[in-house]
Amino acid sequence: KSTFYNLDKMVAGDEITMYWKGVKYTYVVSEVKKVTPEQIEIESQTTTPTLTIYSCGRFTNTTRTVVVATLKV
């Protein structure tokens, strides 16, 4: 399976842990949505530490599954 195969199964409240340069960061999912490939605003900068992960929809390239998560403090 690929890394984002089950991305569409995430729900608000799920936690995502990642490591960057030896530092552990935990994010809490705040939103899961589907968008079209043209909706590039999902890549816009935010004013708070936000993790946005997206991938093509399962078995289709006409939608993107987007997971937005905020840094847990």
Side-chain angles (χ1 to χ4, degrees):
K1 291 184 180 182
S2 68
T3 303
F4 297 130
Y5 185 77
N6 289 315
L7 195 63
D8 62 330
K9 302 286 188 223
M10 298 198 81
V11 295
D14 284 350
E15 290 189 355
I16 300 169
T17 301
M18 61 180 289
Y19 293 85
W20 177 254
K21 296 186 177 184
V23 179
K24 178 181 175 180
Y25 296 91
T26 302
Y27 291 81
V28 179
V29 174
S30 57
E31 181 180 11
V32 180
K33 59 186 175 181
K34 295 219 183 282
V35 300
T36 64
E38 297 78 23
Q39 290 179 273
I40 59 173
E41 66 272 9
I42 62 171
E43 294 183 354
S44 296
Q45 286 188 325
T46 62
T47 57
T48 58
T50 304
L51 176 67
T52 303
I53 303 171
Y54 60 95
S55 181
C56 292
R58 203 181 286 194
F59 310 115
T60 180
N61 63 358
T62 60
T63 63
R64 304 287 183 263
T65 300
V66 181
V67 174
V68 179
T70 55
L71 186 62
K72 184 177 180 179
V73 287

